[in-house]
């Protein structure tokens, strides 16, 4: 297998340590989890350079185990980088391009928010607002683990982590209150920059 480049965890923005309703203790613990995903990604890719391709088997083989677990580690990295990047704002109703998409595809910010919150309550790990390039609309998707239910050709715009590690220190089992806090801290300028970068059409 070809050589790979080790990656390092992205630094947290200082604003994430001063969120409304999500404590610094929670963010610090959450960030350490993300660092662990980065370390495991590097470790697994290193081990794949020495794996025996001839022994590959769908029931069990080192190649299968490493490749499956790599998707979990890489998913954990990408999911959390989205999550951390768009926190630290003032929340409220969406503004700019994301506001236009939400209004068009959900009818109102309140309808989008209610749908996302319900999706988060129904999910085991993640809830996503993503733009589906085939259908030409934004939709709220469930994600039960770091590597389950990826929707091909859809670009995530809001990444809501609903694993217990995201809120248990602050809210114990009150996931609903945590989701409200998450929404209060979204940075719409980051989301709108993604929309511009990906050239997501607003009409």
């Amino acid at each position: 297998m070809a050589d790979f480049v080790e990656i390092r965890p992205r630094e947290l923005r200082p604003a994430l340590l001063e969120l409304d309703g999500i404590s610094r203790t929670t963010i610090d613990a959450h960030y350490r989890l993300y660092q662990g995903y980065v370390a495991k990604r590097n470790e697994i890719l290193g081990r794949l350079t020495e794996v025996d391709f001839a022994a590959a088997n769908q029931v069990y083989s080192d190649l299968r185990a490493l490749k499956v677990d790599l998707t979990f580690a890489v998913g954990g990295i990408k999911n959390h980088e989205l999550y951390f990047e768009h926190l630290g704002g003032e929340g409220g109703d969406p503004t700019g391009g994301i506001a236009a998409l939400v209004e068009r595809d959900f009818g109102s910010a309140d309808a989008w928010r209610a749908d996302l919150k319900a999706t988060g309550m129904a999910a085991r790990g993640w809830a996503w607002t993503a733009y589906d390039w085939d259908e030409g609309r934004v939709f709220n998707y469930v994600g039960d683990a770091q590597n389950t239910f990826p929707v091909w050709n859809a670009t995530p715009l809001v990444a809501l982590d609903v694993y217990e590690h995201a809120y248990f220190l602050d809210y114990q089992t009150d996931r609903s209150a945590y989701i409200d806090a998450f929404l209060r801290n979204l940075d719409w300028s980051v989301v709108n920059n993604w929309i511009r970068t990906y050239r997501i059409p607003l009409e």
Side-chain angles (χ1 to χ4, degrees):
M1 186 172 181
D3 290 340
F4 72 99
V5 176
E6 288 198 352
I7 61 172
R8 297 176 56 84
R10 293 183 185 176
E11 296 293 327
L12 282 179
R13 293 189 298 150
L16 270 75
L17 302 178
E18 300 178 2
L19 299 178
D20 176 13
I22 302 176
S23 68
R24 180 172 186 159
T25 300
T26 289
I27 292 296
D28 283 341
H30 206 161
Y31 183 70
R32 287 194 297 274
L33 183 74
Y34 158 68
Q35 290 175 307
Y37 287 128
V38 173
K40 283 299 177 184
R41 176 262 186 199
N42 292 337
E43 177 186 341
I44 292 168
L45 284 173
R47 292 180 64 185
L48 280 168
T49 63
E50 302 173 353
V51 74
D52 180 5
F53 285 4
N57 183 277
Q58 76 274 19
V59 177
Y60 173 79
S61 61
D62 288 343
L63 180 66
R64 174 180 167 76
L66 290 167
K67 289 271 188 169
V68 169
D69 290 341
L70 179 63
T71 68
F72 196 89
V74 171
I77 294 167
K78 295 186 177 187
N79 297 345
H80 284 94
E81 287 178 350
L82 289 168
Y83 177 82
F84 291 135
E85 189 172 347
H86 71 1
L87 286 179
E90 298 180 358
D93 286 345
T95 60
I98 186 62
L101 291 172
V102 162
E103 180 72 25
R104 185 193 69 192
D105 295 333
F106 286 90
S108 70
D110 286 343
W112 164 78
R113 189 181 297 107
D115 188 290
L116 180 63
K117 185 170 183 178
T119 303
M121 294 300 293
R124 294 173 182 167
W126 290 87
W128 306 93
T129 299
Y131 180 79
D132 186 312
W133 289 91
D134 298 310
E135 296 194 7
R137 64 169 179 149
V138 289
F139 189 81
N140 292 326
Y141 295 97
V142 161
D144 274 351
Q146 306 296 354
N147 58 346
T148 58
F149 303 136
V151 179
W152 301 120
N153 210 26
T155 299
L157 297 172
V158 176
L160 169 57
D161 189 343
V162 292
Y163 274 115
E164 285 80 1
H165 63 246
Y167 61 87
F168 194 83
L169 292 176
D170 296 326
Y171 295 100
Q172 288 77 55
T173 58
D174 191 354
R175 182 186 290 188
S176 176
Y178 155 72
I179 294 174
D180 290 339
F182 169 84
L183 292 167
R184 290 198 304 272
N185 289 280
L186 282 173
D187 188 337
W188 295 118
S189 67
V190 171
V191 177
N192 284 318
N193 185 57
W194 292 338
I195 290 171
R196 288 189 295 270
T197 299
Y198 302 134
R199 298 182 180 180
I200 293 174
L202 303 180
E203 297 179 357

